Amino acid sequence: MTIATTFNDATVGAALDQAIALDLLKTGSFIDGDWVETSGGATFPVLDPATLEVLCHVADHGAVQAEAAVRAAENALAGWKVTPPRQRAALLEAWCALVERHKEALAEILTLENGKPLAESLAEIAYGNSYIKWYAEEAKRIEGAILPSLVPEAQAIVTREPVGVVAAITPWNFPSAMLARKVAPALAAGCTIVVKPSDETPLSALALTELAARAGIPAGVINVVIGKDAPAIGGVFTGSDRVRKVSFTGSTSVGKLLLAQCAGTVKKASMELGGNAPFIVFDDADLDKAIDGLMVCKYRNAGQVCTATNRVLVQRGVYEKFAEAFAKRAEALKVGHGLNQCELGPLINDASLSKVQNLVDSAVADGARVLCGGTTAEDMPKHYLPTVMTGITAEMQITGTEVFGPVAALIPFETEEEAIAIANSTEYGLASYFYTQDSARMWRVKDALEFGMVGVNTCALGNEIAPFGGVKESGIGREGGREGIEEYLESKYALMAP
Ligand code: NAD
């Protein structure tokens, strides 16, 4: 393990020391119950996105280790799928307890590699852990059915079986929760799993996996492969006929690629993809509540959230007032290093910074007005300032793109019909939000929005009890709730005649 020693910030050094002391800073892949380092082979650095300091170097594994991980998961499947549900549940409960016990260290690791404020990291750890707990409980509620039989004296029986080996590929923006949201239901269903976390943020996935091993989850049931060559690792997962399901969270473009690759072996696939959430403020809304909601919906994780709003539609009557009040709140956000009690951290990398800047510049060139932000922080070049822009139209590039940055683009509208038409005019269909105090409108607009999730006068959509997911090009399948475990189960029908 190579750990950098040249930290400018003592807080960062202390957080790393703590992770090392707890043996949660892992730097290899986890295959068949063992940590696999590179033994002199290739490594890559994991960076603190706020400063570009190297946090540590991790193994750069590829197709060979991916193959080994799939083999390990296949070997472990026979034992795991017949492990009684109560025992699978107990192991998930034990994992959940360890995550709870180590939540501060896990949150620090998450902030170090992702940049998000520590309070948000703590919230993400709790959010991910709520899925581990929920699916520990659901493991005991996998029920079949006995159907009316058309054949005399026969029994028509439907049993539920695990799909088999699952491959999960996860993104950098919620590197801990996205792993938990996939691994927990897969294990509860009796599947074994191979995971490829994002190479931007492998440390959170590895720390969670270490705790799963400590909880007693058997060797081979969870395997994690880290490496920069995502197409090679992903190719092994999608090309293997032993892997029966792929669960992906990430961009729509990569999701489409993986779906096509899955076709070769006709795998089940769940896709949690990109979004372009509308946030509609009607003139009868409680504006203070709407501003509170938008602050979270736009600036959490610096806007790098699949459910973050990209298009803020504000009815003409309250447009100017809303924009001014919201910009005042946005401007007051404390920007800084995630470990230093800030409210807005850096963007993940330079590519994200230039994408966001280009979208803002293009909107300005097309006539938009910047009320605040519009550039990076003077002394923190990796932090994009909270930005509010008015004079946005539905035709601008920023309106049709998943911004993934702290930029609120405010579009004025006149009527409810117009707002719904603009909101639905996107290939995405993940989350949507609207604010109104008119109860008839609440039901009408909720029904009219073509999205998998709708927040009415609230933005707090995500929790373990609800089905999370999108329609259209935002994905296939749901994570969470009763539906989440279905993704990892097959129905077997037997007609049993005497
Ligand atoms: P990404 O698609 O670039 O990467 C996601 C994962 O796929 C990473 O692990 C990456 O290494 C891997 N990957 C990239 N190319 C691959 C390939 N050819 N084969 C196999 N794997 C490959 O996305 P990202 O930038 O990490 O994450 C941001 C995106 O994720 C956004 O679009 C966001 O909306 C989406 N997201 C969706 C949800 C959801 O629940 N719908 C949640 C979080 C993020």
Side-chain angles (χ1 to χ4, degrees), residues 127 168-174 178 181-182 196-201 227-235 237-238 248-255 257-258 261 271-276 304-308 348-349 352 355 402 404 428 430 453 468-470 474-475 479:
Y127 175 66
I169 300 179
T170 55
W172 52 264
N173 64 340
F174 286 87
M178 294 305 99
R181 217 164 74 173
K182 294 182 191 307
K196 193 210 85 62
S198 167
D199 54 279
E200 303 273 7
T201 54
K228 282 201 92 70
D229 193 347
I233 298 169
F237 291 174
T238 53
F248 173 72
T249 297
S251 60
T252 295
S253 57
V254 174
L257 200 77
L258 293 173
Q261 288 174 211
M271 296 281 145
E272 294 284 353
L273 308 177
N276 189 355
Q304 305 168 112
V305 182
C306 54
T307 53
I348 189 72
N349 56 30
S352 289
K355 178 185 166 190
E402 189 179 27
F404 248 51
Y428 294 107
L430 189 59
M453 298 177 284
F468 186 105
S474 285
E479 291 187 334

Side-chain angles (χ1 to χ4, degrees), residues 214-297:
R214 282 186 212 171
I217 291 173
V221 172
I222 304 178
N223 307 274
V224 181
V225 181
I226 50 171
K228 282 201 92 70
D229 193 347
I233 298 169
V236 168
F237 291 174
T238 53
S240 166
D241 55 6
R242 290 164 294 171
V243 172
R244 293 316 313 152
K245 175 179 174 92
V246 167
S247 176
F248 173 72
T249 297
S251 60
T252 295
S253 57
V254 174
K256 286 180 182 178
L257 200 77
L258 293 173
L259 266 180
Q261 288 174 211
C262 284
T265 46
V266 194
K267 286 189 210 320
K268 273 172 93 97
S270 297
M271 296 281 145
E272 294 284 353
L273 308 177
N276 189 355
F279 185 107
I280 308 170
V281 183
F282 288 102
D283 55 12
D284 59 15
D286 176 333
L287 292 190
D288 290 336
K289 208 187 236 185
I291 287 172
D292 286 346
L294 187 55
M295 288 298 292
V296 177
C297 196

Side-chain angles (χ1 to χ4, degrees), residues 61-415:
H61 286 151
V64 172
Q65 291 76 14
E67 288 280 5
V70 171
R71 265 197 310 279
E74 192 188 20
N75 291 339
L77 183 63
W80 184 249
K81 74 176 180 188
V82 297
T83 300
R86 191 186 269 175
Q87 207 173 320
R88 292 203 298 264
L91 289 166
L92 286 168
E93 291 277 6
W95 187 20
C96 174
L98 284 176
V99 171
E100 172 63 22
R101 188 180 317 156
H102 293 291
K103 62 188 177 195
E104 278 89 10
L106 292 170
E108 285 180 357
I109 292 170
L110 176 41
T111 288
L112 283 174
E113 64 177 352
N114 168 283
K116 66 178 67 176
L118 190 60
E120 288 188 23
S121 292
L122 276 165
E124 179 178 339
I125 301 299
Y127 175 66
N129 213 14
S130 71
Y131 287 89
I132 300 178
K133 173 126 181 72
W134 172 268
Y135 285 110
E137 292 154 356
E138 287 294 281
K140 294 177 281 189
R141 298 188 194 116
I142 300 168
E143 293 168 356
I146 299 178
L147 307 177
S149 164
L150 300 184
V151 177
E153 295 178 49
Q155 290 274 17
I157 294 173
V158 181
T159 49
R160 311 284 284 141
E161 297 189 351
V163 294
V165 174
V166 173
I169 300 179
T170 55
W172 52 264
N173 64 340
F174 286 87
S176 186
M178 294 305 99
L179 181 130
R181 217 164 74 173
K182 294 182 191 307
V183 172
L187 267 54
C191 299
T192 56
I193 195 161
V194 292
V195 186
K196 193 210 85 62
S198 167
D199 54 279
E200 303 273 7
T201 54
L203 303 178
S204 293
L206 298 178
L208 268 191
T209 305
E210 164 66 14
L211 293 177
R214 282 186 212 171
I217 291 173
V221 172
I222 304 178
N223 307 274
V224 181
V225 181
I226 50 171
K228 282 201 92 70
D229 193 347
I233 298 169
V236 168
F237 291 174
T238 53
S240 166
D241 55 6
R242 290 164 294 171
V243 172
R244 293 316 313 152
K245 175 179 174 92
V246 167
S247 176
F248 173 72
T249 297
S251 60
T252 295
S253 57
V254 174
K256 286 180 182 178
L257 200 77
L258 293 173
L259 266 180
Q261 288 174 211
C262 284
T265 46
V266 194
K267 286 189 210 320
K268 273 172 93 97
S270 297
M271 296 281 145
E272 294 284 353
L273 308 177
N276 189 355
F279 185 107
I280 308 170
V281 183
F282 288 102
D283 55 12
D284 59 15
D286 176 333
L287 292 190
D288 290 336
K289 208 187 236 185
I291 287 172
D292 286 346
L294 187 55
M295 288 298 292
V296 177
C297 196
K298 187 64 258 183
Y299 297 119
R300 186 166 65 110
N301 200 13
Q304 305 168 112
V305 182
C306 54
T307 53
T309 176
N310 286 313
R311 301 171 295 154
V312 185
L313 305 166
V314 188
Q315 200 154 13
R316 186 70 79 182
V318 293
Y319 186 79
E320 295 298 337
K321 183 176 166 198
F322 182 86
E324 205 176 296
F326 180 64
K328 224 178 242 168
R329 286 278 301 276
E331 229 172 355
L333 278 175
K334 200 171 152 206
V335 180
H337 194 286
L339 291 181
N340 286 341
Q341 303 208 331
C342 73
E343 295 165 307
L344 194 95
L347 294 189
I348 189 72
N349 56 30
D350 285 348
S352 289
L353 280 163
S354 28
K355 178 185 166 190
V356 170
Q357 189 63 63
N358 288 340
L359 286 170
V360 169
D361 291 346
S362 146
V364 170
D366 290 341
R369 190 169 147 238
V370 175
L371 298 195
C372 65
T375 182
T376 50
E378 221 171 77
D379 47 349
M380 289 177 286
K382 305 303 171 191
H383 291 69
Y384 203 84
L385 288 173
T387 299
V388 179
M389 290 197 296
T390 53
I392 302 290
T393 67
E395 291 72 37
M396 288 181 185
Q397 195 191 358
I398 197 163
T399 314
T401 315
E402 189 179 27
V403 180
F404 248 51
V407 179
L410 273 50
I411 307 169
F413 70 90
E414 305 289 343
T415 65

Side-chain angles (χ1 to χ4, degrees), residues 388-459:
V388 179
M389 290 197 296
T390 53
I392 302 290
T393 67
E395 291 72 37
M396 288 181 185
Q397 195 191 358
I398 197 163
T399 314
T401 315
E402 189 179 27
V403 180
F404 248 51
V407 179
L410 273 50
I411 307 169
F413 70 90
E414 305 289 343
T415 65
E416 183 180 305
E417 293 70 28
E418 185 192 358
I420 291 167
I422 297 173
N424 286 341
S425 64
T426 167
E427 67 272 29
Y428 294 107
L430 189 59
S432 56
Y433 313 90
F434 66 93
Y435 282 70
T436 179
Q437 295 189 93
D438 175 336
S439 57
R441 174 176 271 167
M442 286 180 203
W443 290 97
R444 213 166 45 233
V445 176
K446 181 216 48 108
D447 287 345
L449 287 171
E450 296 165 357
F451 292 81
M453 298 177 284
V454 187
V456 184
N457 294 321
T458 178
C459 282

